[in-house]
Amino acid sequence: MTHDLDTLAERLRTGDRRALARAITLVESGRADHRAQATELLAKLADPRREALRIGLSGTPGVGKSTFIEAFGTRLTAQGLRVAVLAVDPSSARTGGSILGDKTRMERLSRDPRAFIRPSPSQSELGGVARRTREAVSLCEAAGFDVVLIETVGVGQSETLVAEMSDLFVLLIAPGGGDELQGVKRGIMETADLILVNKADGDMKSAATRTAADYAGALRLLRKRPQDPQGFPKALTVSAETDEGLDAAWSEMQALAEWRRAHGHWVARRAEQNARWFAEEVRQGLLARLREDPATREAMERLSRRVADGTLPPSAAAAQVLDQLPEASGR
């Protein structure tokens, strides 16, 4: 198996898209043996010199994210850049199924030899972001992609989770009036590096311009963040249908990324993200071990029934489970 992983790693480093797809399938698997192989593969591919610009992209359904990504990605590949799109579809909480239709919606980009599109179900993870998306990002970087677009549907906390694995976070919105501005959560506004008002064409162009002005005014009222140069975050208009504004948006993204690199924010942010991912992996691993231990699993099922019928508070039930765990030796 080690030989197979060596071959897979070698092919992936050359930019082989089939090898990349196979590697992502491996890291997305929940099987214990696959997780062990995925961990070994990621260790083999670790190379800080291979670094892509990670762009998180979110927005409510119907805002035109897929159309925007196809137009934007095609524009980047025309400049000679290699673009990977990791599109996280919302899984059904009941069945775990998801639509996974991004390749259908991005037909032109999916045929581009400089592009790679990977739809992944969120697998009921908090915020609609697949737990292994960050590992898929690392694989795309190892494969030599220049830009990785991480797209997710706007479902509350997903924006924050995408921002935590991105270098830049872009919020895509549709033209609207003041009521829409009132409905946008302050937390999302504070997270966004760039707000793009899509569909700025035809009859919607004037409405898009007004919406961008409204958001620009709102952004100026927010506390200035240390990771932003003068004038950021910004609100711009774009049209995925006519390509208008896409070059300007890309120029702003590059300018922001370059400024953060020059002023140390890029390295600090990546280091902070790595530390957060490490802590999250430890938490997930501990939960997995709890579920795998027969005695603990039986205790949790028994206590869960008491919690469900109201005879035991959840906090007291959790304390009983934790009290059964062996204490750390302190060594």
Side-chain angles (χ1 to χ4, degrees):
M1 182 54 67
T2 299
H3 174 72
D4 290 342
L5 289 179
D6 287 337
T7 302
L8 181 60
E10 185 178 339
R11 287 178 53 205
L12 192 145
R13 285 193 199 97
T14 66
D16 187 313
R17 292 194 295 179
R18 285 191 177 184
L20 176 57
R22 182 182 164 199
I24 293 177
T25 298
L26 186 64
V27 302
E28 287 179 346
S29 173
R31 279 177 43 175
D33 57 334
H34 287 174
R35 285 305 306 153
Q37 292 167 25
T39 300
E40 184 179 348
L41 177 64
L42 288 164
K44 290 178 183 292
L45 292 169
D47 185 352
R49 295 170 300 177
R50 292 204 170 196
E51 198 173 65
L53 175 60
R54 304 171 182 171
I55 302 174
L57 181 72
S58 191
T60 54
V63 76
K65 288 194 300 295
S66 295
T67 306
F68 171 81
I69 290 173
E70 178 164 62
F72 184 63
T74 302
R75 214 153 183 87
L76 296 186
T77 58
Q79 298 177 21
L81 298 173
R82 300 185 68 217
V83 178
V85 179
L86 301 176
V88 180
D89 272 303
S91 294
S92 164
R94 190 172 294 178
T95 65
S98 59
I99 302 170
L100 302 180
D102 292 277
K103 281 198 173 183
T104 303
R105 296 194 296 269
M106 305 179 201
E107 186 179 354
R108 182 162 49 111
L109 188 61
S110 66
R111 295 197 304 265
D112 194 318
R114 288 185 172 275
F116 173 83
I117 301 175
R118 176 70 179 212
S120 300
S122 62
Q123 300 169 346
S124 301
E125 290 294 327
L126 178 63
V129 180
R131 177 186 173 193
R132 298 302 168 192
T133 298
R134 54 182 178 263
E135 293 180 348
V137 170
S138 298
L139 292 173
C140 290
E141 290 186 317
F145 282 87
D146 302 295
V147 178
V148 179
L149 292 170
I150 310 163
E151 179 219 357
T152 186
V153 68
V155 286
Q157 286 182 281
S158 63
E159 289 87 356
T160 302
L161 295 173
V162 168
E164 288 178 353
M165 64 178 77
S166 306
D167 301 310
L168 307 176
F169 177 66
V170 177
L171 181 62
L172 202 65
I173 63 173
D179 290 342
E180 179 174 329
L181 182 59
Q182 293 294 327
V184 173
K185 296 184 179 70
R186 180 183 175 91
I188 298 173
M189 293 282 287
E190 291 177 335
T191 302
D193 295 308
L194 205 60
I195 293 178
L196 301 180
V197 184
N198 194 23
K199 303 183 180 180
D201 51 67
D203 295 338
M204 300 295 289
K205 188 167 186 177
S206 59
T209 302
R210 288 195 302 271
T211 301
D214 288 343
Y215 277 94
L219 289 170
R220 282 193 292 270
L221 297 176
L222 297 178
R223 179 174 58 85
K224 182 171 174 57
R225 306 178 302 183
Q227 71 269 31
D228 291 334
Q230 188 64 35
F232 280 89
K234 292 186 176 181
L236 306 172
T237 59
V238 297
S239 170
E241 291 291 338
T242 66
D243 288 355
E244 187 174 346
L246 296 184
D247 288 338
W250 174 233
S251 294
E252 296 290 1
M253 293 178 202
Q254 289 177 296
L256 180 55
E258 288 169 8
W259 187 89
R260 286 179 174 173
R261 278 195 179 99
H263 290 77
H265 295 291
W266 179 284
V267 173
R269 183 177 177 85
R270 286 282 180 111
E272 181 184 344
Q273 288 175 346
N274 288 338
R276 189 182 295 117
W277 296 351
F278 163 68
E280 178 62 23
E281 283 299 315
V282 171
R283 280 193 292 271
Q284 293 289 345
L286 288 173
L287 287 172
R289 290 195 178 188
L290 281 174
R291 288 191 293 265
E292 291 165 4
D293 178 64
T296 305
R297 188 168 62 247
E298 188 277 331
M300 289 182 67
E301 290 173 355
R302 173 171 45 81
L303 292 169
S304 179
R305 289 192 291 271
R306 293 187 59 191
V307 170
D309 63 23
T311 60
L312 185 67
S315 56
Q320 288 189 35
V321 173
L322 295 175
D323 285 343
Q324 294 180 18
L325 300 179
E327 300 231 355
S329 64
R331 288 178 294 178

